[in-house]
């Protein structure tokens, strides 16, 4: 650029350069050209005169790395964002904790991620409703993965109560958490309700499979067999098909239906 070719640049020129590089980087970022965007954010950061612009460059650089799947570098850039004086005045301040939570979550650092998702939810007045729901869901997942099931249930329940887009997923996850703490009847009840409430959910076959497994754990074998058979009829291509066939065969054998059991188990070969 012409500015780069100048031998001596005033502070005003350098400020313009910082802003121009950032804006050009944002244009590339919006076009999903993340590597090129990072190069321009780096140029902008060479003249860190305006803290607000510096904060923006670090945040967007982090987001670029995140979208490229480089979560460790994304974390480093967010740490740089936090180190900029007055970063709390940045338009990205409220998103930084949410983004850091995701970067750590993707690296399976659930305890640390939990802290940042919690922080992001403290300032919910400024937070977009969908982001709030997503942060709450991921916070629930952090608790779940850390085996803090009661806390996970609390977060998932909050999302379900809002009847949000994540309600089907959170119903499934809450049911799994209930099962993990031995509340099988509550798990079965929640799954039955969720299956009726979200018939088009992407988790519907998993919900049915877990419901059948729960009936089995409760020694309600007839209900289990009926549900497993329902899965084979309605969702023949689900990930649990082989396991379901095995369970059906086992239950048929237990019921003294040896011929049926052999026919069912033949499908596994």
């Amino acid at each position: 650029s012409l500015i780069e070719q100048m031998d001596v640049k005033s502070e005003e020129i350098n400020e313009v350069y910082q802003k121009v590089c950032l804006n050009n980087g944002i244009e590339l970022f919006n076009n999903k050209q993340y590597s090129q965007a990072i190069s321009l954010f780096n140029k902008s950061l060479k003249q860190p005169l305006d803290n607000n612009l510096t904060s923006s460059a670090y945040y967007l650089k982090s987001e670029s790395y995140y979208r490229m799947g480089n979560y460790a570098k994304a974390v480093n850039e967010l740490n740089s964002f936090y180190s900029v004086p007055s970063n709390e005045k940045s338009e990205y301040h409220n998103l930084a904790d949410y983004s850091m939570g995701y970067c750590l979550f993707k690296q399976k650092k659930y305890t640390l991620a939990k802290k940042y998702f919690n922080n992001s939810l403290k300032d919910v007045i400024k937070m977009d409703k969908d982001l709030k729901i997503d942060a709450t869901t991921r916070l629930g997942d952090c608790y779940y993965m850390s085996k803090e099931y009661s806390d996970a249930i609390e977060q998932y329940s909050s999302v379900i109560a809002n009847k949000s887009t994540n309600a089907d997923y959170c119903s499934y996850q809450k049911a799994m958490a209930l099962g993990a703490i031995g509340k099988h009847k509550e798990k079965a009840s929640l799954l039955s309700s969720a299956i009726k409430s979200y018939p088009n959910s992407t988790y519907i076959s998993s919900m049915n499979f877990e419901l059948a497994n729960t009936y089995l754990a409760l020694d309600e074998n007839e209900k289990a067999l009926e549900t497993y058979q329902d899965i084979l009829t309605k969702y023949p291509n689900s990930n649990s098909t082989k396991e379901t066939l095995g369970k059906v065969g086992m239950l048929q054998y237990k019921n003294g239906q040896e011929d049926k059991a052999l026919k069912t188990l033949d499908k596994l070969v």
Side-chain angles (χ1 to χ4, degrees):
S1 71
L2 288 171
I3 295 174
E4 285 170 343
Q5 288 167 23
M6 293 170 68
D7 292 327
V8 181
K9 307 178 192 79
S10 66
E11 189 166 308
E12 287 82 1
I13 291 290
N14 283 333
E15 274 191 32
V16 169
Y17 181 75
Q18 182 184 14
K19 190 167 192 175
V20 167
C21 289
L22 177 67
N23 288 339
N24 288 344
I26 289 170
E27 199 173 316
L28 289 166
F29 176 87
N30 290 335
N31 288 329
K32 300 181 181 178
Q33 295 170 267
Y34 302 120
S35 293
Q36 296 95 315
I38 286 167
S39 295
L40 279 161
F41 295 142
N42 282 336
K43 285 185 177 182
S44 178
L45 289 165
K46 283 179 183 173
Q47 300 296 338
L49 298 167
D50 182 316
N51 284 337
N52 196 39
L53 297 178
T54 302
S55 296
S56 295
Y58 278 127
Y59 178 81
L60 291 166
K61 196 176 163 190
S62 167
E63 193 64 18
S64 298
Y65 279 125
Y66 178 89
R67 294 184 188 192
M68 291 164 71
N70 195 332
Y71 307 121
K73 279 193 175 178
V75 166
N76 290 341
E77 298 305 326
L78 280 172
N79 282 328
S80 295
F81 170 91
Y82 290 125
S83 72
V84 177
S86 307
N87 70 78
E88 66 278 358
K89 292 177 185 172
S90 166
E91 63 180 301
Y92 298 110
H93 176 71
N94 204 46
L95 288 171
D97 286 337
Y98 173 78
S99 297
M100 181 67 97
Y102 254 104
C103 290
L104 295 163
F105 184 84
K106 290 286 188 180
Q107 295 178 85
K108 301 183 179 179
K109 295 178 179 177
Y110 302 116
T111 303
L112 274 174
K114 202 164 55 183
K115 172 192 161 188
Y116 285 96
F117 283 128
N118 258 318
N119 285 349
S120 75
L121 288 164
K122 282 176 185 170
D123 198 9
V124 289
I125 296 164
K126 293 180 187 173
M127 201 176 199
D128 175 85
K129 187 188 171 190
D130 289 339
L131 284 186
K132 179 191 170 188
I133 286 163
D134 191 61
T136 307
T137 303
R138 292 290 87 85
L139 180 57
D141 289 342
C142 288
Y143 282 127
Y144 183 86
M145 296 306 291
S146 304
K147 299 185 178 180
E148 296 172 69
Y149 298 118
S150 296
D151 289 321
I153 287 165
E154 187 183 337
Q155 300 305 319
Y156 293 140
S157 296
S158 169
V159 177
I160 296 162
N162 279 307
K163 297 180 180 176
S164 68
T165 49
N166 285 2
D168 59 336
Y169 170 79
C170 287
S171 295
Y172 176 70
Q173 286 295 111
K174 180 181 173 181
M176 296 299 286
L178 285 166
I181 56 175
K183 294 189 174 182
H184 299 298
K185 284 186 179 177
E186 290 92 332
K187 178 183 177 183
S189 174
L190 176 56
L191 287 168
S192 294
S193 169
I195 288 162
K196 287 171 190 162
S197 298
Y198 315 109
N200 301 316
S201 169
T202 51
Y203 305 99
I204 194 73
S205 65
S206 298
M207 286 178 185
N208 276 278
F209 183 66
E210 278 304 321
L211 178 59
N213 288 345
T214 308
Y215 285 142
L216 204 58
L218 291 166
D219 287 326
E220 296 182 31
N221 290 353
E222 286 307 310
K223 280 187 178 179
L225 180 57
E226 191 183 316
T227 309
Y228 285 130
Q229 286 174 325
D230 209 31
I231 293 165
L232 293 173
T233 305
K234 290 181 180 174
Y235 319 107
N237 300 316
S238 80
N239 293 332
S240 60
T241 298
K242 283 188 176 180
E243 209 176 331
T244 303
L245 281 166
K247 296 279 177 78
V248 169
M250 177 199 72
L251 287 166
Q252 286 170 333
Y253 189 81
K254 270 189 177 181
N255 288 345
Q257 299 171 310
E258 289 184 23
D259 289 346
K260 276 189 177 180
L262 286 170
K263 279 182 185 175
T264 301
L265 295 170
D266 269 347
K267 293 173 187 174
L268 286 171
V269 180

